[in-house]
Amino acid sequence: MTGQPSGPTAPRPAIRLPAPAPGWAEPADVVVVGSGVAGLTAALRCAAAGLRTVVVTKARLDDGSTRWAQGGIAAALGEGDTPEQHLDDTLVAGAGLCDEDAVRLLVTEGPDAVRRLIDTGAVFDKADAAGTIALTREGGHHRRRIAHAGGDATGAEISRALVEAVRARAIRTVENALVLDLLTDAEGRTAGVTLHVMGEGRHDGVGAIHAPAVVLATGGMGQVFSATTNPAVSTGDGVALALRAGAEVSDLEFVQFHPTVLFLGADAEGQQPLVSEAVRGEGAYLVDADGARFMVGQHELAELAPRDIVAKGITGRMLEQDVEHMYLDGRHFGAEMWAERFPTILAACRAHGIDPVTEPIPVAPAAHYASGGIRTDRSGRTTLPGLYACGETACTGVHGANRLASNSLLEGLVYAERIAEAIVAAHPAGAPAPVPAEPARAETIPLLAPEQRFAIQRTMTRGAGVLRSEASLAEAAEALSALRAEAGDAAAEGAPAEAKPAEAKPAEAKPAEPGVESWEATNLLCVARVLVDSARRRTETRGCHWREDHPDRDDTHWRRHLVTRLNQDRTLSVHTTDGAGLPATVPAGETP
């Protein structure tokens, strides 16, 4: 069984976002979209090989998801630990859907990739004066193998080191730029991207970068839900772009909800403060309002069970007691340990009126990480020639149905290096820039009004959150279909259609104009509809996909991956990786 793509899909006319024609263009050998650990690592390796490399990022160079990573980066660096043990823990967490060969590659190449990151300038916390890297544990790991920096600021340190390296090499960067769509040539090969620069830098407005290789490292899609640990820029842009271009995506139903996110109230929306799994790794424990440790007895690792199990444990106890959150108790750490080991978390809690030194922290699950994404092989190649993907936007097969804690930064490092090797081999430096196909071959899709973003998020949280059912997912699908229909009617008539559902705020509905907020909302709707479609089809509970109407794991029928492609008429083509028939679990006629 494998989640790897079988080969390129047939060329087809592109589906694109409505946008002005590019007013400027520049050539490159490779365009890297995203400035997290995956994107910047790929850019550095490509530039080192002499390729004209352009990095495009939606905000500032250091504003990606990587800098928010608190826990650390997992690798078999400690005495007595081995890649094989890391492999075993990853496969268990992935609940039977990991590509074992992809995981073996990750854990085998991972330690040296971390050492190269250190050579690039990243500084990790030390355990002793001799410079031994301090290692801790997180959920699902049977050994201490998590390297961290600044206590709980690992992502910020990795981001700092990579950004400094990119600037030192003077790699061309385009900041404050939303990539819109993939450009292809007449044969369907990658020819670059269109992008909209938001008023800063050398260019402004919509333009294009022509290149035979494009690397999507755009991060996650956490903003598809109301409450998430993801920054505001995580709107699934890479997955939506890939779908419109005709690439395959896989496993979008497997969205990991981090168990311990600071609870700010039932109505809190947007990015929420994360309380790192490393806090539990150092000995904090989960309790209910009565002080009972409810994870003891549910798993051999109790609070350090894989994240899907802990999230289910917390949600289950919340439902039993009809409450909105549980508590994480680390009072026994003492003030000094909180200040030295978890300064970022301590400051975030105190900013919201909670002192972990003297009181338990209220926590609840929130959307955190997409285990699925754009389907790639083990060199990051997608099913479109010249298009690559890595990091959270990709589905390499490493994470299966549930990501093992702190494997994400490692995956970004390892697979970005492999992508650079593949690009260098396939696209020699200085080759003539490809010629994009004529715009007439492209079909545009209706735009959502910016305010519909909130309707999408509330619909997804209610119907496709931690706990799902056919009823909740069908309701979500209907609501998302109504939003799409409204956008289509408004675009066709030049006036707002009657809004549905209620969250769409009919009094405010209006035809959407091209712009960053409407493009983001349209991307969110695209990934939301595919996610719901996949979640309805997978009639089992596995990893972070929890169906209350199908509570058991079904290895007989569902130890396989769902692969989705967007057709030219914007219907979905869905198949499974084992070639078996697809269960008729979704009514005919459903479209994204």
Side-chain angles (χ1 to χ4, degrees), residues 1 54 82 127 290 323 357 368 409 418 478 501 540:
M1 184 186 70
V54 177
T82 65
D290 299 323
V323 296
V357 177
H368 182 58
L409 293 175
R418 294 182 67 82
E478 182 179 1
E540 66 160 353

Side-chain angles (χ1 to χ4, degrees), residues 33-39 56-58 63-66 215-223 230-231 233-240 252 368-374 389-395 527:
V33 186
S35 59
V37 61
V56 178
T57 185
K58 196 172 177 180
D63 279 344
S65 295
T66 291
V215 180
L216 297 177
T218 54
M221 59 183 74
Q223 289 291 327
N230 290 190
V233 295
S234 298
T235 50
D237 305 318
V239 171
L252 289 199
H368 182 58
Y369 191 89
S371 292
I374 306 164
C390 61
E392 190 173 354
T393 200
C395 183
V527 297

Side-chain angles (χ1 to χ4, degrees), residues 419-441:
I419 282 175
E421 292 175 2
I423 290 175
V424 169
H427 306 284
V435 178
E438 290 299 315
R441 294 197 67 198

Side-chain angles (χ1 to χ4, degrees), residues 541-555:
T541 290
R542 181 186 296 270
C544 50
H545 171 65
W546 185 10
R547 287 282 298 262
E548 63 178 338
D549 51 343
H550 295 279
D552 299 321
R553 174 168 152 176
D554 182 0
D555 281 342

Side-chain angles (χ1 to χ4, degrees), residues 74-94 100 103-104 106-108 111 137-146 301 404-405 407 410:
L77 297 166
E79 184 177 354
D81 197 6
T82 65
E84 197 68 25
Q85 294 176 68
H86 191 181
L87 171 80
D88 291 342
D89 286 344
T90 301
L91 295 179
V92 169
E100 185 169 342
V103 177
R104 191 174 300 280
L106 175 82
V107 299
T108 302
R137 283 182 67 195
E138 291 183 5
H141 294 272
H142 282 80
R143 284 191 173 272
R144 287 183 171 266
R145 65 168 66 97
I146 317 299
L301 296 176
L404 180 65
N407 267 358
L410 189 70

Side-chain angles (χ1 to χ4, degrees), residues 474-566:
E475 182 179 347
E478 182 179 1
L480 296 172
S481 294
L483 291 174
R484 180 198 173 197
E486 178 187 336
D489 290 345
E493 299 174 12
E498 182 180 352
K500 183 181 179 183
E503 294 93 340
K505 301 179 181 180
E508 300 177 16
K510 59 182 179 180
E513 296 293 331
V516 173
E517 292 181 339
S518 57
W519 289 322
E520 286 183 332
T522 304
N523 285 340
L524 283 173
L525 180 63
C526 178
V527 297
R529 289 179 66 86
V530 176
L531 191 162
V532 168
D533 181 88
S534 298
R536 292 182 76 185
R537 294 180 190 276
R538 185 171 286 279
T539 51
E540 66 160 353
T541 290
R542 181 186 296 270
C544 50
H545 171 65
W546 185 10
R547 287 282 298 262
E548 63 178 338
D549 51 343
H550 295 279
D552 299 321
R553 174 168 152 176
D554 182 0
D555 281 342
T556 301
H557 300 100
W558 281 112
R559 195 170 181 180
R560 52 184 177 160
H561 302 264
L562 285 168
V563 178
T564 303
R565 182 171 180 255
L566 189 61

Side-chain angles (χ1 to χ4, degrees), residues 229-529:
T229 62
N230 290 190
V233 295
S234 298
T235 50
D237 305 318
V239 171
L241 178 154
L243 281 164
R244 288 192 297 271
E248 292 180 347
V249 303
S250 185
D251 296 349
L252 289 199
E253 68 270 34
F254 295 117
V255 176
Q256 186 178 84
F257 286 77
H258 197 288
T260 53
V261 175
L262 183 62
F263 181 75
L264 300 180
D267 296 328
E269 295 184 328
Q271 186 177 11
Q272 312 288 301
L274 176 67
V275 182
S276 169
E277 199 148 304
V279 177
R280 281 175 280 139
E282 295 292 353
Y285 43 82
L286 289 162
V287 298
D288 60 19
D290 299 323
R293 288 183 63 187
F294 55 89
M295 285 305 300
V296 175
Q298 291 198 40
H299 189 275
E300 60 164 330
L301 296 176
E303 284 89 356
L304 284 177
R307 287 177 177 171
D308 64 311
I309 295 172
V310 180
K312 290 171 187 174
I314 290 173
T315 303
R317 183 56 65 98
M318 286 163 54
L319 292 172
E320 287 174 16
Q321 298 188 340
D322 193 23
V323 296
E324 296 176 328
H325 62 82
M326 291 285 108
Y327 293 93
L328 184 64
D329 195 345
R331 289 176 291 180
H332 51 287
F333 287 176
E336 183 178 353
M337 180 174 174
W338 271 110
E340 292 183 358
R341 181 67 179 86
F342 303 111
T344 306
I345 297 169
L346 179 64
C349 288
R350 285 177 170 170
H352 291 282
I354 300 155
D355 189 350
V357 177
T358 60
E359 59 186 317
I361 305 169
V363 294
H368 182 58
Y369 191 89
S371 292
I374 306 164
R375 197 166 174 235
T376 74
D377 67 10
R378 294 178 197 111
S379 292
R381 290 180 286 251
T382 73
T383 50
L384 296 180
L387 181 65
Y388 302 78
C390 61
E392 190 173 354
T393 200
C395 183
T396 62
V398 162
H399 303 306
N402 179 57
R403 175 178 66 97
L404 180 65
S406 288
N407 267 358
S408 53
L409 293 175
L410 189 70
E411 183 195 31
L413 279 180
V414 169
Y415 280 86
E417 291 184 344
R418 294 182 67 82
I419 282 175
E421 292 175 2
I423 290 175
V424 169
H427 306 284
V435 178
E438 290 299 315
R441 294 197 67 198
E443 175 189 350
T444 58
I445 61 174
L447 284 176
L448 257 66
E451 60 268 21
Q452 303 294 41
R453 174 174 181 153
F454 303 105
I456 295 168
Q457 292 170 330
R458 292 163 189 164
T459 293
M460 292 297 289
T461 295
R462 183 172 58 246
V466 177
L467 184 58
R468 304 164 176 174
S469 68
E470 170 55 27
S472 74
L473 291 165
E475 182 179 347
E478 182 179 1
L480 296 172
S481 294
L483 291 174
R484 180 198 173 197
E486 178 187 336
D489 290 345
E493 299 174 12
E498 182 180 352
K500 183 181 179 183
E503 294 93 340
K505 301 179 181 180
E508 300 177 16
K510 59 182 179 180
E513 296 293 331
V516 173
E517 292 181 339
S518 57
W519 289 322
E520 286 183 332
T522 304
N523 285 340
L524 283 173
L525 180 63
C526 178
V527 297
R529 289 179 66 86

